[in-house]
Amino acid sequence: MPLTGVPALELVGGSASLGGNPVLRDVELALAEGEFVVLLGPNGSGKTTLVRALLGLVEMTKGQARIFGDPVGEFSDWGRIGYVPQRFSATTGVPATVEEIVLTGRAGRARLFRPYNRSDRRAATAALESVGLADLAGRRASALSGGQGQRVLIARALATDPDVLVLDEPLAGVDLEHQAGFAATLGALHRGGRAVLLVAHGLGPLEELVTRTVVLSEGRVVHDGAPLPGDAEGVHAHHHHGERPDHDAYGPVARGPV
């Protein structure tokens, strides 16, 4: 799809290594404002590393990442970016309630050291309702199941009212009923003009929302164009036995997207 204006996210000639092993190789990727792009590929293809490189969470050996035209290291308006990492560990063991975790998503929109206000709490409640967890707002995050924890991270990203949503396998561990509800919420956000970059193995209820598919294999883009079938079976033909999986560590991000 032709891009108009400044891309919301852009990676130019991006290369990266983990533990001395090349993971991304000269990747070119741009997400235009209003697009819904899904990133497909087998384990070890570099999908998670690509997402983290776009957000400045992985140091690249070559190339540059830009957010709304600014080099990622100079970008500061993180309230415009909603990020859902792949693993539940971002909330596991945290001595905070579900609502408190979701409220941290408002930090990027708030003035430094400003306490959360009614608007913040309304946004957190609406985000929790959208993922079916409003009744668990007061529960300790450490008591949640993996699927519930993933939905909390989705709510945290939605609470920012972001211009761009970046979601790394957001439906992993989420039951079919709540997958459908999340797809409806994501569809409404996209129709409202939000750009979405979503990492997946298969699309399920999200398939009809996709405007473009990007496929990675061994750290390289092998397809960037028309949406592919959601089962992504053809993608897995690129997978080689013994290929190392992504091993990015997840945890609270002190600076940057939430």
Side-chain angles (χ1 to χ4, degrees):
M1 176 181 291
L3 300 176
T4 59
V6 176
L9 300 175
E10 187 176 20
L11 191 63
V12 180
S15 296
S17 298
L18 294 177
N21 298 310
V23 178
L24 298 180
R25 298 172 172 87
D26 297 314
V27 172
E28 303 279 337
L29 178 67
L31 176 73
E33 296 187 56
E35 276 195 298
F36 193 121
V37 175
V38 64
L39 183 60
L40 298 170
N43 288 339
S45 59
K47 303 185 300 298
T48 289
T49 301
L50 172 53
V51 164
R52 289 171 63 80
L54 279 167
L55 299 177
L57 302 175
V58 166
E59 185 175 355
M60 292 189 295
T61 55
K62 188 173 68 172
Q64 186 179 56
R66 303 188 187 109
I67 302 179
F68 293 110
D70 293 336
V72 66
E74 300 174 14
F75 184 75
S76 60
D77 194 4
W78 289 106
R80 302 183 69 185
I81 310 295
Y83 172 48
V84 180
Q86 186 182 60
R87 290 172 174 80
F88 175 48
S89 60
T91 60
T92 301
V94 175
T97 66
V98 167
E99 182 186 44
E100 288 168 342
I101 292 291
V102 175
L103 278 169
T104 64
R106 299 289 295 177
R109 292 290 192 187
R111 296 187 305 274
L112 191 63
F113 302 128
R114 176 184 69 77
Y116 297 121
N117 58 28
R118 289 183 181 179
S119 177
D120 295 324
R121 295 188 184 281
R122 282 196 297 268
T125 297
L128 284 169
E129 287 174 347
S130 72
V131 297
L133 289 179
D135 58 332
L136 299 183
R139 181 173 295 186
R140 291 284 179 181
S142 57
L144 300 179
S145 68
Q148 289 171 331
Q150 189 66 12
R151 285 151 59 195
V152 169
L153 297 183
I154 292 169
R156 183 179 68 171
L158 296 179
T160 70
D161 190 25
D163 297 318
V164 179
L165 273 169
V166 181
L167 307 113
D168 193 351
E169 297 197 32
L171 300 183
V174 177
D175 60 70
L176 290 176
E177 176 186 356
H178 291 104
Q179 285 186 25
F182 173 58
T185 297
L186 205 56
L189 289 169
H190 181 234
R191 289 190 294 273
R194 272 74 168 184
V196 178
L197 176 63
L198 187 145
V199 176
H201 282 287
L203 300 182
L206 300 174
E207 185 169 357
E208 294 183 0
L209 304 176
V210 177
T211 60
R212 192 170 117 233
T213 298
V214 176
V215 181
L216 278 186
S217 178
E218 298 182 346
R220 293 185 173 89
V221 173
V222 295
H223 172 87
D224 185 345
L228 295 176
D231 60 14
E233 286 300 320
V235 176
H236 289 273
H238 296 285
H239 178 63
H240 298 288
H241 293 294
E243 186 177 359
R244 67 183 292 277
D246 291 330
H247 285 296
D248 298 338
Y250 292 89
V253 179
R255 177 179 175 276
V258 293

